Amino acid sequence: MRELRVTTLRGGETTLQNTVLADLKAHCRGPVLLPGDDGYDTTRQLWNGMLDKRPALIARCTGVADVLACVNFARPHNVLVAVRGGDHSVAGNASCHGGLMLDLSLMKSVRVDPVKQTARAGGGSRWGDFDHETQTFGLATTGGINSDTGIAGLTLGGGLGWLAGKYGLACDNLLSADVVTADGRLLTASATENQDLFWGLRGGSGNFGVVTSFEYQLHRVDLVLAGMVVYPFERAKEVLRFYSNFSTTIPDEVNTMGALLTTPEGLRVAAIAVCYNGALAEGEKILRPLREFGPPLADQISPMPYTALQSMMDPTFPRGRQYYWKASLMNHISDEAINIMIEHFSAVPSPHTLMGFQQLGNAANRVSGDATAFSHRDALYDFLMLSAWEDSAEAERNVQWTRALDNAIQPCLHGGIYVNAFTEDSKQGLRDAYRPETYARLVALKNKYDPTNFFRINPNIQPTV
Ligand SMILES: Cc1cc2nc3c(=O)[nH]c(=O)nc-3n(C[C@H](O)[C@H](O)[C@H](O)COP(=O)(O)OP(=O)(O)OC[C@H]3O[C@@H](n4cnc5c(N)ncnc54)[C@H](O)[C@@H]3O)c2cc1C
């Protein structure tokens, strides 16, 4: 077995003796991969093809025991650790250069209790895994709009989704979580156990430990009335104004997105996507104004299984493409914002890029700002500028275009940022992801559960001890 140079927590390097590595391997049921090993290169790939991170070792954990072995190996040797859930973060926080990638992607079993209407899912599950199991019983909970996104990162940051108007964010449906902490303990966090940690897990991102499993409240979700209505780009101003009105006057059963994008045929369009989760006949009535505000180029709204809706956007965000984004929370869509969007989208450099609004949702907005660490409950939308392109030589042009749009639209924003949209390059600081009192509470929690900042490859809350 080889000696290994690894990156330390503070960014230096250390050499691990063969015996240390042998010991880690002996304690792990899953494979531990080093550069050159079979599977190392495919396993280290992240969803965002713009990133090329090379961990010194990848531990493919199969359960809590492997996670504990990794944490207990990394801590005494000061090894830098990145935790991988669905590896879908644009920032690439699922991996690191030279450290240990603690890979949970084999931990994706989902156990549904159809009687209690709950589900417990492994920390490496993606929403496609989760919805597949829960929908077999006609159940679901709020999850991301892309089946490839991990349940872990999404829930730990908050979790917007189609069902949030009725059931709140993903984190509002979290009942409990099993967490391996930096000091190598396995804790359960819930409304009755380790309540402070439970509060922090619902919006505080991956700062407090490795969540090995999540337990969610489920709800009955049958066919949904959902899809997209597409209008010519020339009518974008009217469409986005209509979207602004429509999205603020809907019942809890509806959630919406409004966007400027390019169709696969190369046509720039303005589009509104909706999900109505309730009695279909009532949904037809509620969505009628959207369908009669026309004539649209295409009206794809129809009754569909929830799993079909959950994978509807998958072709728009394929794994391995180059991605760069800016995002901000918004609580009002002004004419000024609409004009800036249209002006910039008229010169968009890539047909894969989109910009638009994801609505938080009525029930999500009704939760008190101090109930969970996700505290911007007054924001109505997450405004996304998601640039995507194929050729790495096009990176500079696309990044510059995104930054220019972000600069121009700043005066129209709420000032806050959704922590799951935060990158090192964000104009906002990490504090803007929280209300001031929430941030102070998160620092206190970090001091208690991770005083050495062992979990630092994330939107990082620095301990002060
Ligand atoms: C195309 C696209 C669509 C999206 N759609 C939505 C959406 O509909 N709603 C929404 O709210 N957000 C959405 N997001 C944002 C998404 O929530 C974040 O990117 C989220 O971080 C992804 O989680 P992940 O587990 O896949 O990512 P990862 O990259 O694996 O992890 C993200 C962060 O969480 C940490 N982490 C992962 N797993 C664990 C764990 N088990 N325990 C502790 N820490 C962990 C990681 O260390 C990292 O810091 C979208 C993003 C993209 C790019």
Side-chain angles (χ1 to χ4, degrees):
M1 199 179 290
R2 292 162 272 173
E3 276 191 350
L4 194 65
R5 299 284 293 166
V6 293
T7 304
T8 62
L9 273 190
R10 296 193 190 285
E13 276 207 345
T14 187
T15 303
L16 295 182
Q17 300 305 318
N18 290 341
T19 49
V20 173
L21 208 53
D23 197 44
L24 173 67
K25 289 191 173 188
H27 281 88
C28 284
R29 193 153 56 103
V32 177
L33 304 175
L34 273 63
D37 286 347
D38 272 357
Y40 170 87
D41 272 320
T42 43
T43 310
R44 75 180 177 85
Q45 303 293 332
L46 301 177
W47 173 81
N48 185 354
M50 202 178 174
L51 304 167
D52 183 25
K53 297 192 178 181
R54 291 171 185 274
L57 61 170
I58 301 174
R60 307 210 66 197
C61 299
T62 56
V64 174
D66 287 3
V67 174
L68 280 165
C70 287
V71 168
N72 289 332
F73 148 81
R75 192 182 51 250
H77 300 287
N78 273 320
V79 177
L80 181 67
V81 171
V83 181
R84 173 201 198 165
D87 74 69
H88 208 261
S89 70
V90 172
N93 286 331
S95 188
C96 58
H97 288 295
L100 165 68
M101 182 204 258
L102 203 159
D103 173 20
L104 303 180
S105 64
L106 299 178
M107 291 171 55
K108 51 173 64 166
S109 94
V110 181
R111 182 181 183 278
V112 179
D113 183 332
V115 178
K116 286 192 190 149
Q117 301 203 345
T118 60
R120 180 169 285 284
S125 312
R126 295 194 170 112
W127 286 105
D129 306 316
F130 188 88
D131 294 335
H132 175 75
E133 294 294 333
T134 59
Q135 274 288 279
T136 298
F137 301 97
L139 299 168
T141 201
T142 307
I145 56 146
N146 193 195
S147 72
D148 205 16
T149 307
I151 65 162
L154 183 134
T155 305
L156 293 172
L160 284 59
W162 289 120
L163 304 180
K166 203 162 174 184
Y167 303 122
L169 302 179
C171 73
D172 298 328
N173 291 283
L174 187 66
L175 294 175
S176 73
D178 285 349
V179 189
V180 170
T181 51
D183 56 3
R185 287 178 297 158
L186 175 67
L187 300 179
T188 295
S190 70
T192 53
E193 283 177 88
N194 299 300
Q195 293 97 327
D196 57 350
L197 180 59
F198 187 52
W199 173 87
L201 293 177
R202 290 173 292 158
S205 192
N207 271 287
F208 306 108
V210 184
V211 181
T212 53
S213 74
F214 295 81
E215 185 194 9
Y216 296 91
Q217 182 67 59
L218 303 176
H219 312 273
R220 180 141 293 284
V221 176
D222 298 315
L223 286 185
V224 290
L225 184 62
M228 203 181 279
V229 189
V230 178
Y231 301 94
F233 184 59
E234 294 67 41
R235 298 190 60 204
K237 189 166 186 165
E238 281 170 81
V239 174
L240 291 176
R241 274 183 172 165
F242 173 84
Y243 172 73
S244 171
N245 277 331
F246 183 75
S247 60
T248 43
T249 52
I250 45 176
D252 291 1
E253 284 76 12
V254 185
N255 210 20
T256 68
M257 298 183 76
L260 301 179
L261 55 101
T262 308
T263 65
E265 297 75 34
L267 203 61
R268 278 181 206 156
V269 295
I272 298 176
V274 285
C275 167
Y276 179 89
N277 164 41
L280 293 180
E282 182 63 14
E284 293 283 359
K285 271 192 249 161
I286 305 275
L287 300 187
R288 193 171 299 141
L290 166 63
R291 312 179 80 175
E292 287 179 351
F293 170 81
L297 288 174
D299 175 352
Q300 298 159 347
I301 295 177
S302 65
M304 62 174 78
Y306 177 69
T307 45
L309 171 66
Q310 285 292 83
S311 52
M312 182 178 83
M313 304 277 192
D314 288 359
T316 314
F317 310 114
R319 190 162 271 274
R321 205 171 254 174
Q322 316 257 309
Y323 293 99
Y324 177 84
W325 76 1
K326 296 284 187 183
S328 272
L329 296 173
M330 248 187 181
N331 41 18
H332 170 62
I333 304 174
S334 64
D335 276 358
E336 188 191 353
I338 292 174
N339 289 339
I340 292 166
M341 288 170 69
I342 293 172
E343 182 196 330
H344 283 257
F345 199 70
S346 303
V348 67
S350 166
H352 304 306
T353 290
L354 65 78
M355 64 170 89
F357 307 95
Q358 180 170 19
Q359 184 162 17
L360 261 74
N362 292 358
N365 286 125
R366 286 195 294 266
V367 174
S368 149
D370 60 6
T372 64
F374 182 99
S375 54
H376 285 310
R377 297 289 182 162
D378 58 332
L380 294 186
Y381 314 97
D382 189 23
F383 174 62
L384 289 157
M385 302 159 257
L386 180 51
S387 278
W389 62 97
E390 299 282 359
D391 181 356
S392 54
E394 292 291 308
E396 185 60 20
R397 197 156 74 99
N398 284 281
V399 168
Q400 290 310 336
W401 177 86
T402 323
R403 287 184 179 152
L405 167 62
D406 186 42
N407 285 336
I409 208 153
Q410 284 302 312
C412 312
L413 303 174
H414 163 282
I417 183 168
Y418 175 28
V419 71
N420 276 351
F422 180 81
T423 69
E424 287 306 312
D425 199 37
S426 294
K427 201 171 262 316
Q428 302 93 327
L430 181 57
R431 283 170 186 270
D432 296 318
Y434 303 102
R435 303 194 310 185
E437 59 276 25
T438 307
Y439 193 81
R441 210 168 146 187
L442 286 168
V443 172
L445 212 56
K446 188 77 174 173
N447 289 344
K448 176 173 173 187
Y449 286 100
D450 187 17
T452 64
N453 205 9
F454 182 81
F455 297 107
R456 61 178 62 197
I457 310 289
N458 43 44
N460 192 225
I461 292 160
Q462 309 263 337
T464 52
V465 285

